[in-house]
Every structure is written in structure tokens, then in C-alpha cells.
């Protein structure tokens, strides 16, 4: 059995969860944040070194303005309410994606959270914000070219995730079976696990189920 070190999740289905209950979409996102809280704690308890969550993509700017601003304020509230716990639990917060394009107050809070957790060594919570994998790969390739050679190794070393363990398992909720521009490079050898469960209903037991499936699979990295 191999133990996963790094799990990433595409948290999908908040809108459908709300629609099924005749509630506003934002309520689905609020419940989605509750699921994030549960999962972050559980991932730590399960011994994961890194958890990467797809919170806001480069494409999400196309959503209605009130939904975008509601997501930003949920993010702010999440940092304000949970940062002390991350500091106490030795969790290092990391952002992948170009978060500096977010509203200035969100950027300020993020930078405070990054600074306060920078020296933590217990586990890593990476949040993807204004993230798109093609954009990440293009930025990494440009930096690699500036330094000399473009190879898989030099690009890999310039990715936003360069300081994270290799991605072992990528989970997507809500029944969609695609990667939606998330961690395309890092997914090269990751196991993929899809579930119909909508994100607000995702529990630590589902994560355990995915990890157990991962442990049963034999990874050959193209060899035999
Ligand atoms: C997908 O549901 C979810 C998102 C686009 C946003 C995910 C954000 C959160 C869970 C909250 C903020 C995160 C943190 C880390 C505090 P959808 O709206 O695409 O659902 P649908 O496909 O059913 O409409």
C-alpha cells in the first residue's frame, strides 16, 4: 500500500447543491466553505503532506459580478476565521495562480496569511486562486527560457507547485469528468478519482474512500 502525499481537489457542484434545495447559489458556496474546513482538518489528521484546492479559476471571472464578489468575501472570511488555527497547527498556506489580480483587500489578507504561516513545517494547504494550468505552464516556460534551457525539468522547477510533493491523486466532485485547466502538468502521473457527490456534501469519509482506492492502484509511471 502506498500512502498519498499530495492530493488536489476540483471542488465542483456548489451551484447544483443550492439549486436542488431552491436556495441562492451563494448558499451553496457557503456550504462549500464548510466542506473545505472539514476536509483541511481531516487531511491533516490522515497524514497528507499537501492538499491543493481549486477555489477560483482564471475562467471564474466570467461569472456574474455579484457571485464573484460573494466568493471573494467568503475567501476573506475564511482567512480571517481560520488563520489562527493554521498558525497553531503548523500549516503553511500557499497560493498557486496569480492572486495579485484579486481585489486589493483580498491580496492584503492573503499576504498576511502567507507571512504568518511561512515558517510552518507541518503540512501545506495550497489554494488555487486566479489559477489556470495553461497560464502556469506558459509562465514557467518563459522563466525557464530566460534562465537558458526549456526542458521538462526546468519547466517543472518553475511551476507554482515546484515546492510541493509530486501530485498523487486528483479528485473531482459532482460527476463532471474533466480537468478544467487544473494542474495539467502535475497530473501527468497522478491517479484520477471522480465522484457524483456535490462538493458541499463531500466529507472526510469520501476522502478516505479516494485514498483507499489510490492505495490499491499500482502506479507504473509508464514502466512495466
Ligand atoms: C464550483 O461550484 C465551485 C467554485 C467555482 C468555487 C469553489 C469555492 C469554494 C468552495 C469556496 C471558497 C474557497 C475557499 C478555499 C474558502 P459551481 O458553482 O461551479 O457549481 P455548479 O457547477 O453546480 O454550478
Amino acid at each position: 500500500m502506498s500512502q498519498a502525499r499530495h492530493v488536489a481537489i476540483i471542488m465542483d457542484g456548489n451551484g447544483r447543491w443550492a439549486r436542488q434545495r431552491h436556495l441562492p447559489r451563494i448558499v451553496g458556496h457557503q456550504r462549500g466553505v464548510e466542506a473545505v474546513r472539514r476536509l483541511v482538518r481531516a487531511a491533516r489528521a490522515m497524514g497528507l503532506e499537501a492538499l491543493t484546492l481549486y477555489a477560483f479559476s482564471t475562467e471564474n471571472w466570467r461569472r456574474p459580478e455579484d457571485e464573484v464578489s460573494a466568493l471573494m468575501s467568503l475567501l476573506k472570511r475564511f482567512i480571517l476565521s481560520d488563520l489562527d488555527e493554521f498558525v497553531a497547527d503548523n500549516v503553511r498556506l500557499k497560493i498557486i495562480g496569480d492572486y495579485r489580480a484579486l481585489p486589493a483587500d483580498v491580496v492584503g489578507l492573503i499576504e498576511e496569511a502567507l507571512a504568518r504561516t511561512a515558517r510552518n513545517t507541518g503540512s501545506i494547504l495550497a489554494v488555487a486562486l486566479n489559477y489556470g494550468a495553461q497560464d502556469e505552464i506558459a509562465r514557467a516556460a518563459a522563466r525557464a527560457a530566460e534562465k537558458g534551457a526549456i526542458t521538462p525539468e526546468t519547466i517543472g522547477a518553475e511551476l507554482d507547485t515546484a515546492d510541493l510533493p509530486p501530485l498523487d491523486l486528483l479528485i473531482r466532485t459532482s460527476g463532471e469528468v474533466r480537468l478544467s485547466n487544473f494542474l495539467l502538468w502535475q497530473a501527468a502521473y497522478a491517479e484520477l478519482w471522480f465522484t457524483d457527490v456535490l462538493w458541499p456534501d463531500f466529507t472526510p469519509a469520501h476522502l478516505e474512500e479516494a485514498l483507499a482506492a489510490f492505495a490499491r492502484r499500482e502506479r507504473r509511471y509508464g514502466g512495466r
Side-chain angles (χ1 to χ4, degrees), residues 56-65 68 72 98 101-103 130:
F56 195 84
S57 73
T58 45
E59 288 73 37
N60 285 154
W61 294 109
R62 285 193 229 121
R63 296 197 175 200
E65 205 178 307
V68 171
M72 292 300 143
D98 187 11
L102 299 180
N130 192 27

Side-chain angles (χ1 to χ4, degrees), residues 11-17 25 29 32-33 36 53-55 60 63 67 71 74-75 78 127 199:
M11 310 181 288
D12 198 8
N14 295 344
R16 274 161 285 168
W17 185 94
R25 286 180 67 81
H29 292 313
V33 175
V36 167
L53 301 176
Y54 204 4
N60 285 154
R63 296 197 175 200
E67 185 174 352
L71 282 168
L74 280 176
L75 184 66
F78 175 71
V127 182
W199 177 249

Side-chain angles (χ1 to χ4, degrees), residues 7 26 30 32 43 88 92-93 132 153 199:
V7 174
I26 180 63
Q30 284 165 353
R92 176 159 74 88
L93 189 73
E153 290 72 30
W199 177 249

Side-chain angles (χ1 to χ4, degrees), residues 71-88:
L71 282 168
M72 292 300 143
S73 72
L74 280 176
L75 184 66
K76 277 196 290 184
R77 255 188 282 161
F78 175 71
I79 296 175
L80 286 168
S81 60
D82 288 39
L83 181 57
D84 286 345
E85 187 180 322
F86 294 148
V87 174

Side-chain angles (χ1 to χ4, degrees), residues 6-187:
H6 180 189
V7 174
I9 309 182
I10 301 175
M11 310 181 288
D12 198 8
N14 295 344
R16 274 161 285 168
W17 185 94
R19 195 166 59 238
Q20 283 172 5
R21 290 160 180 79
H22 308 287
L23 293 167
R25 286 180 67 81
I26 180 63
V27 179
H29 292 313
Q30 284 165 353
R31 296 296 289 262
V33 175
E34 293 308 313
V36 167
R37 268 201 190 98
R38 290 196 298 266
L39 255 289
V40 169
R41 292 193 181 124
R44 229 158 37 229
M46 290 173 202
L48 287 185
E49 289 172 47
L51 179 68
T52 300
L53 301 176
Y54 204 4
F56 195 84
S57 73
T58 45
E59 288 73 37
N60 285 154
W61 294 109
R62 285 193 229 121
R63 296 197 175 200
E65 205 178 307
D66 60 339
E67 185 174 352
V68 171
S69 71
L71 282 168
M72 292 300 143
S73 72
L74 280 176
L75 184 66
K76 277 196 290 184
R77 255 188 282 161
F78 175 71
I79 296 175
L80 286 168
S81 60
D82 288 39
L83 181 57
D84 286 345
E85 187 180 322
F86 294 148
V87 174
D89 289 345
N90 202 17
V91 176
R92 176 159 74 88
L93 189 73
K94 181 182 165 69
I95 305 294
I96 63 170
D98 187 11
Y99 72 87
R100 288 183 187 85
L102 299 180
D105 54 343
V106 183
V107 173
L109 266 177
I110 288 172
E111 291 187 337
E112 182 195 335
L114 293 174
R116 282 189 62 200
T117 62
R119 277 176 294 278
N120 288 356
T121 53
S123 63
I124 300 168
L125 172 62
V127 182
L129 289 173
N130 192 27
Y131 174 88
Q134 293 176 344
D135 171 63
E136 177 195 30
I137 294 166
R139 286 187 283 111
R143 281 196 297 265
E146 258 169 42
K147 292 184 183 172
I150 298 189
T151 68
E153 290 72 30
T154 60
I155 292 175
E158 298 293 340
L159 293 173
D160 296 353
T161 54
D163 58 342
L164 297 180
L167 181 64
D168 293 308
L169 176 64
L170 177 63
I171 295 172
R172 182 172 191 149
T173 60
S174 92
E176 311 291 349
V177 185
R178 56 177 175 268
L179 296 183
S180 298
N181 205 14
F182 188 49
L183 301 180
L184 297 181
W185 185 284
Q186 297 84 345

